[in-house]
Amino acid sequence: MKDLIAHISKQLAEIDIVTSGQLEDFKLTYLSKKGKISLLFTEFKNVPNDQKKLYGEEINKLKQQATQLYEDKKASLKKAGLSKKVVDYTMSASPLKIGSRHPVSLIRREIVDIFARLGFTVMEGPEIEDDWHVFTGLNFPKEHPARDMQDTFFIHVNPDHLLRTHTSSVQVRAMEQERPPIRKIFPGRVFRNEAISARSHCIFHQVEGLYIDTNVSFADLKQTLLYFSKELFGSDTQIRLRPSFFPFTEPSAEMDISCTICGGKGCNVCKYTGFLEILGCGMVDPAVLESAGIDSKIYTGFAFGMGIERIAMLKYQIKDIRYLFENDIRFLNQFS
Ligand code: DAH
């Protein structure tokens, strides 16, 4: 017994505890029910009566010593603020989180890719435009409501300068800069003085398309848009053209695709019509060709324009356009 007490006492004096793991081990080895000190108490029963007092004191001292050591180490580890983990320098680093592309960029790239396969090239124009390229060159009469202050952000230093309300303005630039055949698409950001809601925003993106050559017909337009719709929304997609009006196309149409959710049967997304409107289009008005110096007796063309956010919302089933502008990581991570 005497030797055993001396032995444990020596161990306690030499012990070195630097991590919380070692502290736990210490507690188990010395202070737990099956620990070395409890075993001494068990042994104690066999000590002759006349020696009980002596050994009893010794064992109690040892227990105090161990408890004190445990409490001191625990406090100092806590103070150091680290339940020191052993650092493994050979461990490989955790992978870097990389960002994801924004859904608007994803759809824009997809649209550009699809039209590239049909020979369309990309051209961009300025966001700050003049009246000619946004309105007059596109055959908007002077008193047309789209020029109204409600829709257009004018730049006050120069009333002729404004933020473009559509990417059709780049059509006009293309027709001024190049001679037919012209086969281009114009992606970009547009601005409208509109209240922000779940369905509309004052800043959004469009892709405009223009094809001018000899003998371009409405059938070419239809076939181009059908190909595009099937590529973007799947080969079962059907399209529907409804007569419409735009100042720069004649005839004009709006194009619907069969509902991406119900496939045309009718659901609450398509409001039980089976179709979803996605773009405006038509044959370029001869007046537009002429004002860009293109002979409308030789050349004809078609044009179309669509909102990228709207297509992104349909494709990814996004219920509120504002998600596309808030840059909330929780939203964006879903596109990685
Ligand atoms: N610029 C129109 C808009 O923003 C969209 C549009 C309609 C473009 C018909 C076209 C077109 O090229 O032919 O609503």
Side-chain angles (χ1 to χ4, degrees):
M1 182 58 114
K2 195 179 171 194
D3 289 347
L4 204 54
I5 293 176
H7 180 66
I8 295 175
S9 176
K10 191 167 172 256
Q11 280 183 339
L12 288 182
E14 286 169 356
I15 214 146
D16 191 22
I17 298 172
V18 287
T19 70
S20 57
Q22 287 170 341
L23 187 68
E24 275 312 297
D25 282 348
F26 173 81
K27 193 177 170 188
L28 271 177
T29 318
Y30 293 96
L31 295 167
S32 67
K33 267 194 191 137
K34 285 186 181 158
K36 290 186 180 176
I37 293 172
S38 298
L39 288 179
L40 283 180
F41 281 111
T42 318
E43 283 293 307
F44 184 69
K45 284 180 211 132
N46 306 327
V47 171
N49 274 346
D50 60 337
Q51 295 176 15
K52 272 207 160 70
K53 188 168 183 285
L54 173 70
Y55 284 120
E57 276 172 7
E58 290 279 325
I59 299 173
N60 271 327
K61 249 207 270 170
L62 201 59
K63 189 177 177 187
Q64 263 172 20
Q65 191 189 346
T67 311
Q68 193 59 47
L69 186 69
Y70 174 77
E71 293 301 333
D72 288 352
K73 289 289 178 189
K74 192 173 159 185
S76 68
L77 277 179
K78 198 170 167 194
K79 202 169 161 200
L82 28 114
S83 36
K84 267 192 203 161
K85 283 190 193 129
V86 178
V87 178
D88 178 359
Y89 292 104
T90 64
M91 204 166 94
S92 51
S94 42
L96 281 182
K97 275 219 179 92
I98 50 169
S100 52
R101 273 189 204 287
H102 194 280
V104 168
S105 304
L106 291 172
I107 295 292
R108 176 192 152 129
R109 280 158 65 109
E110 231 181 300
I111 295 172
V112 168
D113 278 356
I114 294 170
F115 282 106
R117 278 176 242 144
L118 294 173
F120 285 77
T121 54
V122 172
M123 173 177 165
E124 288 183 27
E127 292 177 348
I128 300 174
E129 265 291 6
D130 51 29
D131 177 276
W132 172 259
H133 292 96
V134 178
F135 296 130
T136 307
L138 286 166
N139 202 31
F140 277 81
K142 270 274 174 268
E143 69 289 355
H144 196 281
R147 295 170 176 234
D148 200 287
M149 292 292 281
Q150 276 192 349
D151 296 316
T152 310
F153 287 114
F154 290 94
I155 293 167
H156 276 290
V157 278
N158 182 343
D160 186 50
H161 286 175
L162 45 97
L163 299 179
R164 65 181 178 194
T165 55
H166 54 183
T167 44
S168 306
S169 54
V170 198
Q171 261 195 53
V172 180
R173 290 188 177 270
M175 286 186 275
E176 287 168 348
Q177 285 167 24
E178 290 177 37
R179 295 296 93 187
I182 298 172
R183 193 163 16 169
K184 289 194 179 305
I185 52 168
F186 318 102
R189 189 160 57 158
V190 301
F191 309 84
R192 284 186 199 178
N193 192 0
E194 267 180 52
I196 296 170
S197 71
R199 311 200 71 222
S200 64
H201 209 285
C202 57
I203 302 174
F204 56 101
H205 298 79
Q206 288 187 330
V207 177
E208 179 84 10
L210 178 70
Y211 179 31
I212 300 173
D213 204 345
T214 51
N215 293 319
V216 176
S217 72
F218 201 90
D220 297 319
L221 171 62
K222 253 167 60 179
Q223 198 54 39
T224 304
L225 295 180
L226 179 63
Y227 172 80
F228 163 72
S229 305
K230 284 177 181 285
E231 289 293 292
L232 190 61
F233 292 102
S235 54
D236 295 336
T237 310
Q238 290 177 302
I239 62 168
R240 175 173 88 171
L241 288 155
R242 284 177 290 105
S244 185
F245 172 80
F246 299 100
F248 39 94
T249 42
E250 183 58 37
S252 302
E254 272 165 311
M255 190 189 85
D256 302 338
I257 54 163
S258 47
C259 179
T260 49
I261 305 295
C262 66
K265 287 191 205 77
C267 67
N268 63 349
V269 172
C270 60
K271 305 212 176 67
Y272 300 94
T273 62
F275 284 93
L276 300 162
E277 184 197 321
I278 63 159
L279 56 81
C281 60
M283 300 305 292
V284 181
D285 194 302
V288 173
L289 296 174
E290 292 295 337
S291 64
I294 294 174
D295 189 341
S296 65
K297 284 183 211 70
I298 303 173
Y299 295 106
T300 51
F302 64 70
F304 54 85
M306 64 191 106
I308 302 183
E309 280 79 1
R310 174 155 174 80
I311 291 177
M313 287 170 77
L314 288 175
K315 243 196 121 154
Y316 299 126
Q317 296 181 36
I318 300 165
K319 293 245 155 64
D320 191 318
I321 194 171
R322 289 169 290 198
Y323 286 128
L324 294 168
F325 296 94
E326 282 165 356
N327 289 333
D328 186 329
I329 295 284
R330 294 167 301 175
F331 171 74
L332 296 176
N333 274 343
Q334 298 175 58
F335 299 91
S336 52

